[in-house]
PDB file of all heavy atoms in Angstrom:
ATOM      1  N   GLY A 128      79.242 124.672  92.947  1.00 92.00           N
ATOM      2  CA  GLY A 128      79.053 126.108  93.148  1.00 92.00           C
ATOM      3  C   GLY A 128      79.675 126.862  91.981  1.00 92.00           C
ATOM      4  O   GLY A 128      79.464 126.505  90.822  1.00 92.00           O
ATOM      5  N   LYS A 129      80.476 127.851  92.309  1.00 93.00           N
ATOM      6  CA  LYS A 129      81.075 128.686  91.257  1.00 93.00           C
ATOM      7  C   LYS A 129      82.171 127.957  90.496  1.00 93.00           C
ATOM      8  O   LYS A 129      82.611 128.405  89.461  1.00 93.00           O
ATOM      9  CB  LYS A 129      81.671 129.952  91.893  1.00 93.00           C
ATOM     10  CG  LYS A 129      80.638 130.876  92.500  1.00 93.00           C
ATOM     11  CD  LYS A 129      81.281 132.076  93.163  1.00 93.00           C
ATOM     12  CE  LYS A 129      82.073 131.733  94.409  1.00 93.00           C
ATOM     13  NZ  LYS A 129      81.280 131.123  95.494  1.00 93.00           N
ATOM     14  N   ARG A 132      87.725 127.053  92.209  1.00 98.00           N
ATOM     15  CA  ARG A 132      89.013 126.365  92.381  1.00 98.00           C
ATOM     16  C   ARG A 132      89.421 125.613  91.115  1.00 98.00           C
ATOM     17  O   ARG A 132      90.586 125.649  90.707  1.00 98.00           O
ATOM     18  CB  ARG A 132      88.933 125.449  93.609  1.00 98.00           C
ATOM     19  CG  ARG A 132      88.819 126.250  94.895  1.00 98.00           C
ATOM     20  CD  ARG A 132      88.250 125.449  96.050  1.00 98.00           C
ATOM     21  NE  ARG A 132      87.999 126.305  97.206  1.00 98.00           N
ATOM     22  CZ  ARG A 132      86.947 127.133  97.299  1.00 98.00           C
ATOM     23  NH1 ARG A 132      86.038 127.191  96.326  1.00 98.00           N
ATOM     24  NH2 ARG A 132      86.786 127.893  98.367  1.00 98.00           N
ATOM     25  N   HIS A 161      86.892 120.212  98.197  1.00 98.00           N
ATOM     26  CA  HIS A 161      86.148 121.421  98.584  1.00 98.00           C
ATOM     27  C   HIS A 161      84.741 121.029  99.058  1.00 98.00           C
ATOM     28  O   HIS A 161      84.272 121.494 100.113  1.00 98.00           O
ATOM     29  CB  HIS A 161      86.104 122.349  97.363  1.00 98.00           C
ATOM     30  CG  HIS A 161      85.219 123.538  97.508  1.00 98.00           C
ATOM     31  ND1 HIS A 161      85.295 124.416  98.566  1.00 98.00           N
ATOM     32  CD2 HIS A 161      84.208 124.010  96.704  1.00 98.00           C
ATOM     33  CE1 HIS A 161      84.389 125.367  98.421  1.00 98.00           C
ATOM     34  NE2 HIS A 161      83.709 125.147  97.310  1.00 98.00           N
ATOM     35  N   GLN A 163      83.737 118.179 100.243  1.00 98.00           N
ATOM     36  CA  GLN A 163      83.813 117.517 101.553  1.00 98.00           C
ATOM     37  C   GLN A 163      83.937 118.544 102.662  1.00 98.00           C
ATOM     38  O   GLN A 163      83.289 118.440 103.707  1.00 98.00           O
ATOM     39  CB  GLN A 163      85.027 116.562 101.588  1.00 98.00           C
ATOM     40  CG  GLN A 163      85.213 115.823 102.905  1.00 98.00           C
ATOM     41  CD  GLN A 163      86.073 116.578 103.937  1.00 98.00           C
ATOM     42  OE1 GLN A 163      86.550 117.696 103.678  1.00 98.00           O
ATOM     43  NE2 GLN A 163      86.237 115.991 105.107  1.00 98.00           N
ATOM     44  N   SER A 164      84.770 119.563 102.441  1.00 98.00           N
ATOM     45  CA  SER A 164      84.981 120.552 103.507  1.00 98.00           C
ATOM     46  C   SER A 164      83.678 121.308 103.799  1.00 98.00           C
ATOM     47  O   SER A 164      83.409 121.663 104.946  1.00 98.00           O
ATOM     48  CB  SER A 164      86.119 121.518 103.146  1.00 98.00           C
ATOM     49  OG  SER A 164      85.702 122.474 102.188  1.00 98.00           O
ATOM     50  N   LEU A 165      82.869 121.516 102.754  1.00 98.00           N
ATOM     51  CA  LEU A 165      81.590 122.209 102.968  1.00 98.00           C
ATOM     52  C   LEU A 165      80.591 121.293 103.688  1.00 98.00           C
ATOM     53  O   LEU A 165      79.889 121.733 104.610  1.00 98.00           O
ATOM     54  CB  LEU A 165      81.006 122.680 101.629  1.00 98.00           C
ATOM     55  CG  LEU A 165      81.869 123.669 100.823  1.00 98.00           C
ATOM     56  CD1 LEU A 165      81.152 124.081  99.535  1.00 98.00           C
ATOM     57  CD2 LEU A 165      82.223 124.906 101.633  1.00 98.00           C
ATOM     58  N   HIS A 167      81.204 118.840 105.741  1.00 98.00           N
ATOM     59  CA  HIS A 167      81.559 118.699 107.156  1.00 98.00           C
ATOM     60  C   HIS A 167      81.397 120.029 107.901  1.00 98.00           C
ATOM     61  O   HIS A 167      80.966 120.052 109.045  1.00 98.00           O
ATOM     62  CB  HIS A 167      82.980 118.136 107.290  1.00 98.00           C
ATOM     63  CG  HIS A 167      83.055 116.664 106.994  1.00 98.00           C
ATOM     64  ND1 HIS A 167      84.114 115.859 107.377  1.00 98.00           N
ATOM     65  CD2 HIS A 167      82.193 115.835 106.341  1.00 98.00           C
ATOM     66  CE1 HIS A 167      83.889 114.609 106.978  1.00 98.00           C
ATOM     67  NE2 HIS A 167      82.735 114.580 106.342  1.00 98.00           N
ATOM     68  N   ASP A 168      81.725 121.122 107.235  1.00 97.00           N
ATOM     69  CA  ASP A 168      81.578 122.442 107.860  1.00 97.00           C
ATOM     70  C   ASP A 168      80.111 122.718 108.223  1.00 97.00           C
ATOM     71  O   ASP A 168      79.817 123.383 109.221  1.00 97.00           O
ATOM     72  CB  ASP A 168      82.084 123.515 106.878  1.00 97.00           C
ATOM     73  CG  ASP A 168      82.125 124.902 107.502  1.00 97.00           C
ATOM     74  OD1 ASP A 168      82.763 125.064 108.555  1.00 97.00           O
ATOM     75  OD2 ASP A 168      81.522 125.837 106.936  1.00 97.00           O
ATOM     76  N   ARG A 180      74.456 126.679  98.869  1.00 95.00           N
ATOM     77  CA  ARG A 180      74.232 126.782  97.418  1.00 95.00           C
ATOM     78  C   ARG A 180      72.728 126.802  97.097  1.00 95.00           C
ATOM     79  O   ARG A 180      72.259 126.201  96.117  1.00 95.00           O
ATOM     80  CB  ARG A 180      74.907 125.642  96.660  1.00 95.00           C
ATOM     81  CG  ARG A 180      76.421 125.658  96.760  1.00 95.00           C
ATOM     82  CD  ARG A 180      77.073 124.444  96.160  1.00 95.00           C
ATOM     83  NE  ARG A 180      78.534 124.537  96.178  1.00 95.00           N
ATOM     84  CZ  ARG A 180      79.353 123.507  95.992  1.00 95.00           C
ATOM     85  NH1 ARG A 180      78.870 122.305  95.769  1.00 95.00           N
ATOM     86  NH2 ARG A 180      80.661 123.677  96.026  1.00 95.00           N
ATOM     87  N   MET A 232      95.446 119.475 103.003  1.00 98.00           N
ATOM     88  CA  MET A 232      94.189 119.123 103.678  1.00 98.00           C
ATOM     89  C   MET A 232      94.319 118.971 105.191  1.00 98.00           C
ATOM     90  O   MET A 232      93.345 119.146 105.914  1.00 98.00           O
ATOM     91  CB  MET A 232      93.690 117.767 103.140  1.00 98.00           C
ATOM     92  CG  MET A 232      93.004 117.858 101.824  1.00 98.00           C
ATOM     93  SD  MET A 232      92.746 116.229 101.086  1.00 98.00           S
ATOM     94  CE  MET A 232      92.479 115.181 102.477  1.00 98.00           C
ATOM     95  N   LEU A 237      93.562 122.681 105.593  1.00 98.00           N
ATOM     96  CA  LEU A 237      92.134 122.900 105.875  1.00 98.00           C
ATOM     97  C   LEU A 237      91.723 122.495 107.291  1.00 98.00           C
ATOM     98  O   LEU A 237      91.047 123.255 107.991  1.00 98.00           O
ATOM     99  CB  LEU A 237      91.283 122.100 104.885  1.00 98.00           C
ATOM    100  CG  LEU A 237      90.873 122.815 103.608  1.00 98.00           C
ATOM    101  CD1 LEU A 237      91.997 122.734 102.595  1.00 98.00           C
ATOM    102  CD2 LEU A 237      89.619 122.205 103.032  1.00 98.00           C
ATOM    103  N   ALA A 238      92.120 121.275 107.676  1.00 98.00           N
ATOM    104  CA  ALA A 238      91.663 120.777 108.980  1.00 98.00           C
ATOM    105  C   ALA A 238      92.233 121.634 110.113  1.00 98.00           C
ATOM    106  O   ALA A 238      91.520 121.989 111.068  1.00 98.00           O
ATOM    107  CB  ALA A 238      92.050 119.307 109.157  1.00 98.00           C
ATOM    108  N   GLN A 241      90.407 124.956 110.170  1.00 96.00           N
ATOM    109  CA  GLN A 241      89.053 124.809 110.708  1.00 96.00           C
ATOM    110  C   GLN A 241      89.100 124.695 112.236  1.00 96.00           C
ATOM    111  O   GLN A 241      88.254 125.250 112.944  1.00 96.00           O
ATOM    112  CB  GLN A 241      88.392 123.554 110.088  1.00 96.00           C
ATOM    113  CG  GLN A 241      86.987 123.277 110.560  1.00 96.00           C
ATOM    114  CD  GLN A 241      85.945 124.202 109.945  1.00 96.00           C
ATOM    115  OE1 GLN A 241      86.288 125.206 109.326  1.00 96.00           O
ATOM    116  NE2 GLN A 241      84.690 123.887 110.112  1.00 96.00           N
ATOM    117  N   LYS A 263      92.454 127.549 106.471  1.00 96.00           N
ATOM    118  CA  LYS A 263      91.151 126.905 106.187  1.00 96.00           C
ATOM    119  C   LYS A 263      90.668 127.157 104.763  1.00 96.00           C
ATOM    120  O   LYS A 263      89.964 126.333 104.178  1.00 96.00           O
ATOM    121  CB  LYS A 263      90.094 127.265 107.228  1.00 96.00           C
ATOM    122  CG  LYS A 263      89.385 128.562 107.005  1.00 96.00           C
ATOM    123  CD  LYS A 263      88.140 128.674 107.895  1.00 96.00           C
ATOM    124  CE  LYS A 263      87.435 129.961 107.522  1.00 96.00           C
ATOM    125  NZ  LYS A 263      86.170 130.182 108.112  1.00 96.00           N
ATOM    126  N   THR A 264      91.044 128.275 104.167  1.00 97.00           N
ATOM    127  CA  THR A 264      90.620 128.594 102.793  1.00 97.00           C
ATOM    128  C   THR A 264      91.804 128.708 101.843  1.00 97.00           C
ATOM    129  O   THR A 264      91.763 128.200 100.722  1.00 97.00           O
ATOM    130  CB  THR A 264      89.837 129.920 102.788  1.00 97.00           C
ATOM    131  OG1 THR A 264      88.742 129.787 103.686  1.00 97.00           O
ATOM    132  CG2 THR A 264      89.317 130.271 101.407  1.00 97.00           C
ATOM    133  N   PHE A 300      89.948 135.946  98.920  1.00 96.00           N
ATOM    134  CA  PHE A 300      88.738 135.142  98.741  1.00 96.00           C
ATOM    135  C   PHE A 300      88.016 134.952 100.077  1.00 96.00           C
ATOM    136  O   PHE A 300      86.791 135.088 100.171  1.00 96.00           O
ATOM    137  CB  PHE A 300      89.108 133.774  98.140  1.00 96.00           C
ATOM    138  CG  PHE A 300      87.923 132.998  97.640  1.00 96.00           C
ATOM    139  CD1 PHE A 300      87.504 133.131  96.323  1.00 96.00           C
ATOM    140  CD2 PHE A 300      87.202 132.150  98.477  1.00 96.00           C
ATOM    141  CE1 PHE A 300      86.402 132.432  95.849  1.00 96.00           C
ATOM    142  CE2 PHE A 300      86.105 131.459  98.023  1.00 96.00           C
ATOM    143  CZ  PHE A 300      85.697 131.590  96.705  1.00 96.00           C
ATOM    144  N   GLN A 301      88.788 134.630 101.130  1.00 95.00           N
ATOM    145  CA  GLN A 301      88.156 134.404 102.435  1.00 95.00           C
ATOM    146  C   GLN A 301      87.631 135.708 103.033  1.00 95.00           C
ATOM    147  O   GLN A 301      86.545 135.732 103.631  1.00 95.00           O
ATOM    148  CB  GLN A 301      89.138 133.728 103.406  1.00 95.00           C
ATOM    149  CG  GLN A 301      88.573 133.508 104.800  1.00 95.00           C
ATOM    150  CD  GLN A 301      87.278 132.688 104.806  1.00 95.00           C
ATOM    151  OE1 GLN A 301      87.193 131.653 104.157  1.00 95.00           O
ATOM    152  NE2 GLN A 301      86.253 133.151 105.529  1.00 95.00           N
ATOM    153  N   ASP A 304      84.383 136.351 101.750  1.00 92.00           N
ATOM    154  CA  ASP A 304      83.405 135.481 102.402  1.00 92.00           C
ATOM    155  C   ASP A 304      82.917 136.111 103.704  1.00 92.00           C
ATOM    156  O   ASP A 304      81.720 136.104 104.012  1.00 92.00           O
ATOM    157  CB  ASP A 304      84.052 134.116 102.694  1.00 92.00           C
ATOM    158  CG  ASP A 304      83.150 132.969 102.315  1.00 92.00           C
ATOM    159  OD1 ASP A 304      82.827 132.859 101.109  1.00 92.00           O
ATOM    160  OD2 ASP A 304      82.742 132.211 103.218  1.00 92.00           O
ATOM    161  N   ARG A 375      82.778 139.122  94.240  1.00 85.00           N
ATOM    162  CA  ARG A 375      81.674 138.164  94.102  1.00 85.00           C
ATOM    163  C   ARG A 375      80.518 138.457  95.063  1.00 85.00           C
ATOM    164  O   ARG A 375      80.738 138.997  96.152  1.00 85.00           O
ATOM    165  CB  ARG A 375      82.205 136.727  94.288  1.00 85.00           C
ATOM    166  CG  ARG A 375      82.709 136.442  95.683  1.00 85.00           C
ATOM    167  CD  ARG A 375      83.632 135.236  95.695  1.00 85.00           C
ATOM    168  NE  ARG A 375      84.213 135.057  97.015  1.00 85.00           N
ATOM    169  CZ  ARG A 375      83.685 134.333  97.974  1.00 85.00           C
ATOM    170  NH1 ARG A 375      82.551 133.693  97.765  1.00 85.00           N
ATOM    171  NH2 ARG A 375      84.269 134.218  99.155  1.00 85.00           N
TER     172      ARG A 375
HETATM  173  C1  GRG B 120      89.756 118.360 104.070  1.00 84.06           C
HETATM  174  C2  GRG B 120      90.613 116.810 105.843  1.00 84.06           C
HETATM  175  C3  GRG B 120      89.759 117.939 105.482  1.00 84.06           C
HETATM  176  C4  GRG B 120      89.038 118.548 106.453  1.00 84.06           C
HETATM  177  C5  GRG B 120      88.101 119.649 106.225  1.00 84.06           C
HETATM  178  C6  GRG B 120      85.501 121.178 107.566  1.00 84.06           C
HETATM  179  C7  GRG B 120      86.901 121.548 107.225  1.00 84.06           C
HETATM  180  C8  GRG B 120      87.982 120.532 107.446  1.00 84.06           C
HETATM  181  C9  GRG B 120      87.234 122.751 106.735  1.00 84.06           C
HETATM  182  C10 GRG B 120      86.235 123.789 106.388  1.00 84.06           C
HETATM  183  C11 GRG B 120      86.907 124.843 105.624  1.00 84.06           C
HETATM  184  C12 GRG B 120      85.942 125.853 105.050  1.00 84.06           C
HETATM  185  C13 GRG B 120      84.489 125.556 104.960  1.00 84.06           C
HETATM  186  C14 GRG B 120      86.437 127.001 104.630  1.00 84.06           C
HETATM  187  C15 GRG B 120      85.613 128.037 103.950  1.00 84.06           C
HETATM  188  C16 GRG B 120      86.005 128.069 102.504  1.00 84.06           C
HETATM  189  C17 GRG B 120      85.071 128.886 101.678  1.00 84.06           C
HETATM  190  C18 GRG B 120      85.329 130.346 101.569  1.00 84.06           C
HETATM  191  C19 GRG B 120      84.034 128.287 101.061  1.00 84.06           C
HETATM  192  C20 GRG B 120      83.156 128.908 100.085  1.00 84.06           C
HETATM  193  O1  GRG B 120      83.725 128.610  98.811  1.00 84.06           O
HETATM  194  P1  GRG B 120      83.012 129.022  97.466  1.00 84.06           P
HETATM  195  O2  GRG B 120      82.490 130.409  97.602  1.00 84.06           O
HETATM  196  O3  GRG B 120      81.781 128.003  97.438  1.00 84.06           O
HETATM  197  O4  GRG B 120      83.933 128.749  96.355  1.00 84.06           O
HETATM  198  P2  GRG B 120      81.034 127.408  96.172  1.00 84.06           P
HETATM  199  O5  GRG B 120      79.670 127.035  96.712  1.00 84.06           O
HETATM  200  O6  GRG B 120      80.949 128.465  95.108  1.00 84.06           O
HETATM  201  O7  GRG B 120      81.794 126.205  95.719  1.00 84.06           O
END
Side-chain angles (χ1 to χ4, degrees):
K129 294 178 292 299
R132 292 159 187 77
H161 171 53
Q163 180 271 0
S164 76
L165 300 181
H167 285 198
D168 187 55
R180 295 173 176 164
M232 281 168 33
L237 269 83
Q241 180 76 348
K263 84 167 184 173
T264 303
F300 193 91
Q301 178 57 47
D304 225 62
R375 66 200 174 90

